[in-house]
Amino acid sequence: MKSCLDQLGPIPSSGLGFLYFSTAFAPHAGSIATLARRLTGIDDWVGAGSDAVMAVGPRGPEVLGPEVSVDGAGSGPGVAMMILALPADSHRLIRLSPESPGGTPEPGLFDWMQSAGKPSAMFHADQPSRAAVQAAGSLRAVCGDIPGSAEPLALVGATVGDGAGPGAARPQICGVVAEGGATGVLFAGAARGISGLAQGCAPIGPVRWVSDADGGVVSGLDGHSARAAFHQDIGDLLARDPQRTQGFVFAGLIRGRNGSPAGRACNGQVIEPGDYAVASIVDPGGWPGGCQDAIRLTTDPAPGDGIVFVRRDQASAIAALDRMVDRLIRRAGRAHIRAAHLITCGDRATSIFGNPGIDFMRIADRLGPVPMIGFQADTPIMGETLYSRAAVLTLWTDNS
């Protein structure tokens, strides 16, 4: 802990602290948070326990955790800290209890949000995925109640407790230790960062529209056989044995058509990673008793939704990560990037890269000497959608 604090450098007079720690330190989360507040003078801290924590400091990028391979051995547990210098009135901590995901806004929050100007949010949810999405919707609903707030809340977050299991609690930090529910921070418009999503996928065909579906079984795309469309997109060689696409080819689901990301993609524009949520194709070679024209997905598309078949492998993941970073750098323009925050999925580390921190190291190399913190989550969230095997990067510039 002392080593971590020593690397922080000069402490700003006001700001927001990010604090992530290995699950081995979960029993000491309260002491860690207390020390962070006492020794820095910064009262507002947010964070959570994680299997892998990451930071870029004076010693360069580091990734710590029992599953992190260093010369064939785990690196051991660790703590990562970063302080983002912000005006005192530029952010508010928020907590939604597990018993009441809608939450009860703290006194004065609505008044603050009215003057905040297009707020954004970052949160952690130690609860099942559906409840996490409900919490995300509740955060957006709170902002939607603000007079004059026409835009939906810009929201990024992650589930951090889905797979913890007994004895592996992942407490959250929201000023003090909080267990259960969702916790996070609301940023005023002037302090909001810019965020991007990388799913590790590359489309292998055009967007097709669901014309016939029942549950997760899709039998019609663009008014024709869904299986024929699948075979066309994967190519003749794989179509001879579609079962070989298991774990390699997926379906990207684009909800809705009119005025949605699906509609934009239909007009020939480039499909962005956030336009679709990735679902697995169950038994791509067919299943006993199944319709020969159908494919079966691990999600529930409806007629009018879009589907684009995508390839997911390490090369696609690296290319998608680079594109995301490049897009964010372009959005930052000439403004100096002063801090970065990464949420990366645990399944992404194991199934795509084989080791936590590969994407963090690559981003750190692209950004250069920018203070950066990150952690491995169960499932990243952007908006009200959970994205498996994805990474969400947020940058703050001199303009935020």
Side-chain angles (χ1 to χ4, degrees), residues 208-211 221 253-257 262 300-307:
R208 302 177 184 273
W209 306 109
V210 177
S211 49
L221 290 173
L253 178 64
I254 307 171
R255 292 289 187 186
R257 181 168 184 167
D300 188 7
D305 288 344
I307 285 180

Side-chain angles (χ1 to χ4, degrees), residues 229-266:
F230 174 57
H231 286 183
Q232 179 180 341
D233 287 354
I234 62 177
D236 292 340
L237 187 61
L238 285 174
R240 296 173 190 171
D241 184 9
Q243 199 65 32
R244 292 167 55 196
T245 65
Q246 187 83 54
F248 171 62
V249 176
F250 297 80
L253 178 64
I254 307 171
R255 292 289 187 186
R257 181 168 184 167
N258 297 323
S260 69
R264 296 198 301 271
C266 183

Side-chain angles (χ1 to χ4, degrees), residues 122-140:
M122 181 178 290
F123 78 107
H124 312 92
D126 180 20
Q127 50 193 347
S129 297
R130 287 186 180 180
V133 172
Q134 185 180 2
S138 297
L139 280 171
R140 280 192 157 184

Side-chain angles (χ1 to χ4, degrees), residues 68-155:
V68 180
S69 178
V70 180
D71 296 329
S75 67
V79 176
M81 305 171 69
M82 183 179 78
I83 297 176
L84 180 64
L86 291 172
D89 204 41
S90 64
H91 63 278
R92 287 288 187 276
L93 301 189
I94 189 169
R95 180 179 181 185
L96 307 179
S97 72
E99 294 79 17
S100 177
T104 302
E106 64 181 79
L109 181 63
F110 281 116
D111 291 339
W112 176 82
M113 292 180 68
Q114 276 188 277
S115 61
K118 297 182 181 178
S120 62
M122 181 178 290
F123 78 107
H124 312 92
D126 180 20
Q127 50 193 347
S129 297
R130 287 186 180 180
V133 172
Q134 185 180 2
S138 297
L139 280 171
R140 280 192 157 184
V142 167
C143 286
D145 288 338
I146 303 300
S149 177
E151 290 189 14
L153 176 69
L155 179 68

Side-chain angles (χ1 to χ4, degrees), residues 194 325-337 395-399:
I194 53 175
V325 176
D326 289 342
R327 281 196 301 271
L328 290 178
I329 291 174
R330 286 197 299 271
R331 286 176 61 187
R334 295 184 178 181
H336 170 67
I337 299 171
L395 304 180
W396 287 274
T397 71
D398 283 342
N399 295 332

